[in-house]
Structures are given as structure tokens and as C-alpha cells.
Amino acid sequence: MGSRENTSSGRTAAARDRDSEGRARNARPRDGLGRPLPYGEEGVPRQPEGVVRRPEESVAEAQRLLDEGKPFHAHEVFEDAWKSGPEAERELWRGLAQMAVGLTHAARGNVTGGARLLRRGAVAAEGWAAGGELRPHGIDLPGVIAWARELAAEVERGEGGPPDAGARAPRLRGGA
């Protein structure tokens, strides 16, 4: 028999959102930075998980989400590419996902976590690029790595408070 304890949301534990394997899933609505909102509020549509896209589609979808100020959702696109792509590209996509999460944390005001993840993602992408490819799938990898490091430094200096995620989004393919 399921537990009938009340949760912090006032729902019973038996009514908790679980997947088919019993793992907890969070059905709460989220804002553009992935922060949970109270049940009943309208949030940003969630990025579907487990979508297999061609690399160029992943880059285009992630850029759209970044431009809209939704780096949390862009990280989900990169994570799907990381999990479904070829083994040889996993470090590239993981680094891009970490940079998107770094922007998410920075925009939420988490200076330490934001800067750390931006740098960790830059290191992962740089390590992958050491193999010689600097424009995988049209991505301006040197430019994105420089963006992450510059933003990490700005966030740590506290220049102007938390960055606006859309205004500070990287240009994945370079240019303005």
C-alpha cells in the first residue's frame, strides 16, 4: 500500500509523479531558467527528453533556446546529443551542456556554481578540440570556449549582477 503522508506541496506521497520504473519525476512547472514554480502556475514548456536529432538540428535548437533566455532547456538538447551521439563526440556535447548549465546558474545568481560550470564546460570542449577539429557541426568552438571563460570571469567580478541569459547567450556558430 502506498504512503499517504502529506508532502510540502500538500499532495499525498501516493500522488507523487513517478515514471513506469518508480523513479521520481518532477511535474512542477518551470520557468525559463529551469526553476520550479508552484503547482498550478503556468511555466515554460519543458524540453522533451531523449530526442535524437542530427547534430546540426541540435545546434540550431540549442541556439534558439539560448537566444530565448532558456539555457536550462538548451542544456537538455545538448544532453540528448551527448547521450545519443557517437562516443567520439560525447565530450564535445557534455562540455556544451555544462556551459549551458553554467549560464543557467549564473543567471540564477549562483556565482560560484555558474563560473565553475562555465569553466568546466570550456575545459571539456577544449580537450575535445585538442583532436584538431575547431568547427564541429558548424560550431565556433574557440569562440564558445572564449565566451564561457569571459562570462565566468565577469560573473565572479560581480559586474552588473546576474547576467541576462538571453542577452549573454553564446553564438554557437560565431558572428553577431
Side-chain angles (χ1 to χ4, degrees):
M1 205 171 337
S3 169
R4 296 283 175 198
E5 298 172 25
N6 283 333
T7 65
S8 61
S9 67
R11 299 182 318 159
T12 63
R16 294 175 101 176
D17 186 26
R18 301 277 178 182
D19 69 11
S20 62
E21 296 177 11
R23 289 186 304 257
R25 296 187 52 99
N26 193 338
R28 285 177 68 178
R30 302 225 174 224
D31 70 6
L33 293 175
R35 293 175 290 213
L37 299 170
Y39 286 101
E41 283 197 25
E42 188 167 335
V44 171
R46 295 182 96 121
Q47 191 63 29
E49 293 180 35
V51 177
V52 177
R53 300 173 181 88
R54 289 183 342 215
E56 294 76 14
E57 293 171 326
S58 293
V59 174
E61 179 66 3
Q63 186 68 69
R64 180 186 70 77
L65 292 163
L66 288 164
D67 291 345
E68 291 177 3
K70 300 174 186 171
F72 178 81
H73 301 278
H75 125 270
E76 297 285 357
V77 171
F78 290 137
E79 192 171 273
D80 285 341
W82 157 20
K83 291 179 178 179
S84 67
E87 182 70 34
E89 292 186 357
R90 294 222 169 130
E91 194 70 2
L92 165 68
W93 297 111
R94 186 174 68 87
L96 292 168
Q98 288 173 326
M99 286 185 259
V101 172
L103 176 57
T104 300
H105 282 282
R108 289 176 176 177
N110 177 355
V111 171
T112 303
R116 184 174 293 142
L117 282 162
L118 285 161
R119 286 195 180 98
R120 186 179 301 156
V123 166
E126 191 171 57
W128 185 86
E133 194 169 353
L134 300 178
R135 291 199 61 87
H137 311 295
I139 301 168
D140 174 14
L141 212 46
V144 173
I145 292 166
W147 163 84
R149 290 199 167 115
E150 289 167 15
L151 183 57
E154 287 175 24
V155 167
E156 287 177 325
R157 287 191 302 267
E159 295 178 0
D164 176 293
R168 289 296 304 175
R171 302 303 313 153
L172 298 174
R173 292 197 165 121

mmCIF file of all heavy atoms in Angstrom, residues 122-156:
data_model
loop_
_atom_site.group_PDB
_atom_site.id
_atom_site.type_symbol
_atom_site.label_atom_id
_atom_site.label_comp_id
_atom_site.label_asym_id
_atom_site.label_seq_id
_atom_site.Cartn_x
_atom_site.Cartn_y
_atom_site.Cartn_z
ATOM 1 N N ALA A 122 34.135 24.656 -20.650
ATOM 2 C CA ALA A 122 35.171 25.154 -21.563
ATOM 3 C C ALA A 122 36.346 24.184 -21.613
ATOM 4 O O ALA A 122 36.878 23.892 -22.695
ATOM 5 C CB ALA A 122 35.634 26.551 -21.129
ATOM 6 N N VAL A 123 36.743 23.651 -20.470
ATOM 7 C CA VAL A 123 37.852 22.691 -20.418
ATOM 8 C C VAL A 123 37.485 21.422 -21.185
ATOM 9 O O VAL A 123 38.297 20.889 -21.951
ATOM 10 C CB VAL A 123 38.245 22.379 -18.951
ATOM 11 C CG1 VAL A 123 39.148 21.163 -18.859
ATOM 12 C CG2 VAL A 123 38.904 23.592 -18.314
ATOM 13 N N ALA A 124 36.255 20.927 -21.002
ATOM 14 C CA ALA A 124 35.833 19.717 -21.709
ATOM 15 C C ALA A 124 35.830 19.943 -23.220
ATOM 16 O O ALA A 124 36.344 19.112 -23.987
ATOM 17 C CB ALA A 124 34.441 19.288 -21.238
ATOM 18 N N ALA A 125 35.277 21.064 -23.660
ATOM 19 C CA ALA A 125 35.229 21.360 -25.097
ATOM 20 C C ALA A 125 36.633 21.572 -25.655
ATOM 21 O O ALA A 125 36.949 21.124 -26.760
ATOM 22 C CB ALA A 125 34.355 22.586 -25.354
ATOM 23 N N GLU A 126 37.471 22.237 -24.883
ATOM 24 C CA GLU A 126 38.845 22.461 -25.319
ATOM 25 C C GLU A 126 39.606 21.133 -25.426
ATOM 26 O O GLU A 126 40.373 20.916 -26.373
ATOM 27 C CB GLU A 126 39.544 23.388 -24.334
ATOM 28 C CG GLU A 126 40.874 23.901 -24.807
ATOM 29 C CD GLU A 126 41.383 24.982 -23.879
ATOM 30 O OE1 GLU A 126 41.515 24.724 -22.665
ATOM 31 O OE2 GLU A 126 41.623 26.101 -24.370
ATOM 32 N N GLY A 127 39.374 20.250 -24.479
ATOM 33 C CA GLY A 127 40.006 18.935 -24.534
ATOM 34 C C GLY A 127 39.566 18.167 -25.772
ATOM 35 O O GLY A 127 40.382 17.524 -26.442
ATOM 36 N N TRP A 128 38.294 18.253 -26.074
ATOM 37 C CA TRP A 128 37.786 17.582 -27.273
ATOM 38 C C TRP A 128 38.410 18.206 -28.523
ATOM 39 O O TRP A 128 38.826 17.498 -29.436
ATOM 40 C CB TRP A 128 36.261 17.678 -27.329
ATOM 41 C CG TRP A 128 35.715 16.895 -28.471
ATOM 42 C CD1 TRP A 128 35.405 15.570 -28.479
ATOM 43 C CD2 TRP A 128 35.465 17.366 -29.792
ATOM 44 N NE1 TRP A 128 34.979 15.192 -29.718
ATOM 45 C CE2 TRP A 128 34.996 16.279 -30.543
ATOM 46 C CE3 TRP A 128 35.597 18.604 -30.414
ATOM 47 C CZ2 TRP A 128 34.653 16.389 -31.878
ATOM 48 C CZ3 TRP A 128 35.253 18.714 -31.740
ATOM 49 C CH2 TRP A 128 34.787 17.625 -32.465
ATOM 50 N N ALA A 129 38.505 19.538 -28.556
ATOM 51 C CA ALA A 129 39.048 20.249 -29.730
ATOM 52 C C ALA A 129 40.534 19.986 -29.917
ATOM 53 O O ALA A 129 41.062 20.198 -31.010
ATOM 54 C CB ALA A 129 38.800 21.751 -29.592
ATOM 55 N N ALA A 130 41.209 19.508 -28.876
ATOM 56 C CA ALA A 130 42.641 19.207 -28.998
ATOM 57 C C ALA A 130 42.888 18.150 -30.069
ATOM 58 O O ALA A 130 43.998 18.037 -30.579
ATOM 59 C CB ALA A 130 43.205 18.744 -27.656
ATOM 60 N N GLY A 131 41.830 17.425 -30.425
ATOM 61 C CA GLY A 131 41.929 16.449 -31.508
ATOM 62 C C GLY A 131 42.036 17.100 -32.870
ATOM 63 O O GLY A 131 42.218 16.419 -33.877
ATOM 64 N N GLY A 132 41.906 18.425 -32.932
ATOM 65 C CA GLY A 132 42.127 19.149 -34.172
ATOM 66 C C GLY A 132 40.905 19.755 -34.825
ATOM 67 O O GLY A 132 41.025 20.601 -35.696
ATOM 68 N N GLU A 133 39.700 19.369 -34.400
ATOM 69 C CA GLU A 133 38.507 19.918 -35.046
ATOM 70 C C GLU A 133 37.993 21.120 -34.258
ATOM 71 O O GLU A 133 37.605 21.004 -33.098
ATOM 72 C CB GLU A 133 37.409 18.854 -35.144
ATOM 73 C CG GLU A 133 36.311 19.280 -36.083
ATOM 74 C CD GLU A 133 35.342 18.149 -36.414
ATOM 75 O OE1 GLU A 133 35.593 17.003 -36.027
ATOM 76 O OE2 GLU A 133 34.342 18.447 -37.063
ATOM 77 N N LEU A 134 38.003 22.286 -34.902
ATOM 78 C CA LEU A 134 37.604 23.520 -34.223
ATOM 79 C C LEU A 134 36.208 24.002 -34.610
ATOM 80 O O LEU A 134 35.684 24.917 -33.970
ATOM 81 C CB LEU A 134 38.627 24.619 -34.497
ATOM 82 C CG LEU A 134 40.049 24.317 -34.018
ATOM 83 C CD1 LEU A 134 40.989 25.454 -34.381
ATOM 84 C CD2 LEU A 134 40.075 24.044 -32.527
ATOM 85 N N ARG A 135 35.617 23.426 -35.655
ATOM 86 C CA ARG A 135 34.270 23.830 -36.069
ATOM 87 C C ARG A 135 33.369 22.612 -36.280
ATOM 88 O O ARG A 135 32.790 22.425 -37.342
ATOM 89 C CB ARG A 135 34.328 24.669 -37.336
ATOM 90 C CG ARG A 135 34.955 26.045 -37.096
ATOM 91 C CD ARG A 135 34.615 27.042 -38.175
ATOM 92 N NE ARG A 135 33.212 27.322 -38.311
ATOM 93 C CZ ARG A 135 32.544 28.251 -37.621
ATOM 94 N NH1 ARG A 135 33.154 28.981 -36.736
ATOM 95 N NH2 ARG A 135 31.263 28.439 -37.834
ATOM 96 N N PRO A 136 33.222 21.772 -35.244
ATOM 97 C CA PRO A 136 32.363 20.602 -35.401
ATOM 98 C C PRO A 136 30.912 21.017 -35.619
ATOM 99 O O PRO A 136 30.397 21.866 -34.889
ATOM 100 C CB PRO A 136 32.537 19.853 -34.085
ATOM 101 C CG PRO A 136 32.891 20.922 -33.101
ATOM 102 C CD PRO A 136 33.719 21.900 -33.890
ATOM 103 N N HIS A 137 30.302 20.474 -36.639
ATOM 104 C CA HIS A 137 28.896 20.757 -36.945
ATOM 105 C C HIS A 137 28.630 22.259 -37.064
ATOM 106 O O HIS A 137 27.551 22.739 -36.759
ATOM 107 C CB HIS A 137 27.979 20.116 -35.915
ATOM 108 C CG HIS A 137 28.300 18.682 -35.684
ATOM 109 N ND1 HIS A 137 28.160 17.737 -36.668
ATOM 110 C CD2 HIS A 137 28.813 18.032 -34.600
ATOM 111 C CE1 HIS A 137 28.549 16.557 -36.204
ATOM 112 N NE2 HIS A 137 28.961 16.716 -34.963
ATOM 113 N N GLY A 138 29.636 23.004 -37.484
ATOM 114 C CA GLY A 138 29.499 24.453 -37.674
ATOM 115 C C GLY A 138 29.662 25.264 -36.402
ATOM 116 O O GLY A 138 29.546 26.491 -36.429
ATOM 117 N N ILE A 139 29.949 24.619 -35.291
ATOM 118 C CA ILE A 139 30.107 25.332 -34.009
ATOM 119 C C ILE A 139 31.468 26.015 -33.987
ATOM 120 O O ILE A 139 32.486 25.397 -34.260
ATOM 121 C CB ILE A 139 30.009 24.355 -32.816
ATOM 122 C CG1 ILE A 139 28.657 23.639 -32.813
ATOM 123 C CG2 ILE A 139 30.233 25.095 -31.491
ATOM 124 C CD1 ILE A 139 28.591 22.460 -31.852
ATOM 125 N N ASP A 140 31.467 27.291 -33.647
ATOM 126 C CA ASP A 140 32.713 28.048 -33.473
ATOM 127 C C ASP A 140 33.251 27.722 -32.083
ATOM 128 O O ASP A 140 33.060 28.470 -31.123
ATOM 129 C CB ASP A 140 32.434 29.542 -33.624
ATOM 130 C CG ASP A 140 33.642 30.408 -33.311
ATOM 131 O OD1 ASP A 140 34.774 29.878 -33.234
ATOM 132 O OD2 ASP A 140 33.447 31.622 -33.126
ATOM 133 N N LEU A 141 33.901 26.576 -31.966
ATOM 134 C CA LEU A 141 34.332 26.096 -30.658
ATOM 135 C C LEU A 141 35.291 27.053 -29.954
ATOM 136 O O LEU A 141 35.092 27.349 -28.770
ATOM 137 C CB LEU A 141 34.920 24.695 -30.782
ATOM 138 C CG LEU A 141 34.740 23.778 -29.588
ATOM 139 C CD1 LEU A 141 33.332 23.801 -29.042
ATOM 140 C CD2 LEU A 141 35.138 22.372 -29.962
ATOM 141 N N PRO A 142 36.309 27.598 -30.639
ATOM 142 C CA PRO A 142 37.168 28.564 -29.942
ATOM 143 C C PRO A 142 36.382 29.779 -29.426
ATOM 144 O O PRO A 142 36.634 30.261 -28.320
ATOM 145 C CB PRO A 142 38.194 28.974 -31.000
ATOM 146 C CG PRO A 142 38.240 27.807 -31.939
ATOM 147 C CD PRO A 142 36.828 27.288 -31.978
ATOM 148 N N GLY A 143 35.431 30.250 -30.206
ATOM 149 C CA GLY A 143 34.612 31.390 -29.783
ATOM 150 C C GLY A 143 33.731 31.064 -28.592
ATOM 151 O O GLY A 143 33.593 31.877 -27.667
ATOM 152 N N VAL A 144 33.142 29.864 -28.581
ATOM 153 C CA VAL A 144 32.276 29.462 -27.471
ATOM 154 C C VAL A 144 33.110 29.259 -26.198
ATOM 155 O O VAL A 144 32.687 29.652 -25.104
ATOM 156 C CB VAL A 144 31.471 28.194 -27.836
ATOM 157 C CG1 VAL A 144 30.696 27.669 -26.647
ATOM 158 C CG2 VAL A 144 30.521 28.487 -29.001
ATOM 159 N N ILE A 145 34.286 28.687 -26.347
ATOM 160 C CA ILE A 145 35.174 28.495 -25.189
ATOM 161 C C ILE A 145 35.584 29.849 -24.619
ATOM 162 O O ILE A 145 35.549 30.061 -23.394
ATOM 163 C CB ILE A 145 36.400 27.650 -25.595
ATOM 164 C CG1 ILE A 145 35.961 26.207 -25.904
ATOM 165 C CG2 ILE A 145 37.484 27.690 -24.521
ATOM 166 C CD1 ILE A 145 37.005 25.369 -26.628
ATOM 167 N N ALA A 146 35.951 30.792 -25.474
ATOM 168 C CA ALA A 146 36.323 32.139 -25.014
ATOM 169 C C ALA A 146 35.130 32.817 -24.332
ATOM 170 O O ALA A 146 35.295 33.468 -23.286
ATOM 171 C CB ALA A 146 36.822 32.980 -26.189
ATOM 172 N N TRP A 147 33.932 32.658 -24.899
ATOM 173 C CA TRP A 147 32.716 33.225 -24.300
ATOM 174 C C TRP A 147 32.538 32.701 -22.870
ATOM 175 O O TRP A 147 32.271 33.475 -21.949
ATOM 176 C CB TRP A 147 31.500 32.866 -25.163
ATOM 177 C CG TRP A 147 30.202 33.036 -24.433
ATOM 178 C CD1 TRP A 147 29.488 34.184 -24.287
ATOM 179 C CD2 TRP A 147 29.495 32.027 -23.701
ATOM 180 N NE1 TRP A 147 28.377 33.950 -23.510
ATOM 181 C CE2 TRP A 147 28.363 32.631 -23.149
ATOM 182 C CE3 TRP A 147 29.715 30.669 -23.468
ATOM 183 C CZ2 TRP A 147 27.437 31.926 -22.376
ATOM 184 C CZ3 TRP A 147 28.795 29.966 -22.698
ATOM 185 C CH2 TRP A 147 27.673 30.594 -22.165
ATOM 186 N N ALA A 148 32.684 31.386 -22.689
ATOM 187 C CA ALA A 148 32.472 30.780 -21.375
ATOM 188 C C ALA A 148 33.467 31.313 -20.357
ATOM 189 O O ALA A 148 33.098 31.637 -19.219
ATOM 190 C CB ALA A 148 32.567 29.253 -21.478
ATOM 191 N N ARG A 149 34.710 31.413 -20.750
ATOM 192 C CA ARG A 149 35.733 31.903 -19.815
ATOM 193 C C ARG A 149 35.517 33.378 -19.474
ATOM 194 O O ARG A 149 35.674 33.784 -18.320
ATOM 195 C CB ARG A 149 37.120 31.674 -20.409
ATOM 196 C CG ARG A 149 37.460 30.197 -20.426
ATOM 197 C CD ARG A 149 38.953 29.958 -20.574
ATOM 198 N NE ARG A 149 39.212 28.565 -20.277
ATOM 199 C CZ ARG A 149 39.658 27.692 -21.159
ATOM 200 N NH1 ARG A 149 39.939 28.056 -22.381
ATOM 201 N NH2 ARG A 149 39.864 26.435 -20.801
ATOM 202 N N GLU A 150 35.171 34.179 -20.488
ATOM 203 C CA GLU A 150 34.919 35.610 -20.241
ATOM 204 C C GLU A 150 33.714 35.793 -19.327
ATOM 205 O O GLU A 150 33.764 36.604 -18.396
ATOM 206 C CB GLU A 150 34.677 36.333 -21.570
ATOM 207 C CG GLU A 150 35.930 36.476 -22.414
ATOM 208 C CD GLU A 150 35.619 36.906 -23.857
ATOM 209 O OE1 GLU A 150 34.488 37.358 -24.135
ATOM 210 O OE2 GLU A 150 36.526 36.764 -24.700
ATOM 211 N N LEU A 151 32.644 35.038 -19.576
ATOM 212 C CA LEU A 151 31.457 35.175 -18.735
ATOM 213 C C LEU A 151 31.745 34.708 -17.308
ATOM 214 O O LEU A 151 31.307 35.354 -16.353
ATOM 215 C CB LEU A 151 30.274 34.401 -19.330
ATOM 216 C CG LEU A 151 28.962 34.538 -18.561
ATOM 217 C CD1 LEU A 151 28.534 35.997 -18.428
ATOM 218 C CD2 LEU A 151 27.869 33.712 -19.237
ATOM 219 N N ALA A 152 32.499 33.633 -17.158
ATOM 220 C CA ALA A 152 32.857 33.162 -15.813
ATOM 221 C C ALA A 152 33.593 34.261 -15.039
ATOM 222 O O ALA A 152 33.290 34.515 -13.869
ATOM 223 C CB ALA A 152 33.714 31.900 -15.903
ATOM 224 N N ALA A 153 34.533 34.924 -15.690
ATOM 225 C CA ALA A 153 35.290 35.994 -15.042
ATOM 226 C C ALA A 153 34.370 37.171 -14.691
ATOM 227 O O ALA A 153 34.460 37.734 -13.593
ATOM 228 C CB ALA A 153 36.443 36.454 -15.936
ATOM 229 N N GLU A 154 33.473 37.538 -15.597
ATOM 230 C CA GLU A 154 32.532 38.646 -15.335
ATOM 231 C C GLU A 154 31.629 38.319 -14.147
ATOM 232 O O GLU A 154 31.394 39.174 -13.285
ATOM 233 C CB GLU A 154 31.660 38.909 -16.563
ATOM 234 C CG GLU A 154 32.366 39.583 -17.701
ATOM 235 C CD GLU A 154 31.470 39.700 -18.930
ATOM 236 O OE1 GLU A 154 30.216 39.697 -18.792
ATOM 237 O OE2 GLU A 154 32.020 39.779 -20.037
ATOM 238 N N VAL A 155 31.116 37.102 -14.121
ATOM 239 C CA VAL A 155 30.224 36.687 -13.044
ATOM 240 C C VAL A 155 30.954 36.758 -11.709
ATOM 241 O O VAL A 155 30.419 37.264 -10.716
ATOM 242 C CB VAL A 155 29.683 35.258 -13.325
ATOM 243 C CG1 VAL A 155 29.020 34.655 -12.106
ATOM 244 C CG2 VAL A 155 28.726 35.273 -14.512
ATOM 245 N N GLU A 156 32.180 36.288 -11.674
ATOM 246 C CA GLU A 156 32.953 36.321 -10.429
ATOM 247 C C GLU A 156 33.266 37.745 -9.978
ATOM 248 O O GLU A 156 33.340 38.015 -8.779
ATOM 249 C CB GLU A 156 34.249 35.529 -10.588
ATOM 250 C CG GLU A 156 33.999 34.036 -10.613
ATOM 251 C CD GLU A 156 35.250 33.234 -10.833
ATOM 252 O OE1 GLU A 156 36.150 33.680 -11.574
ATOM 253 O OE2 GLU A 156 35.313 32.132 -10.272
#
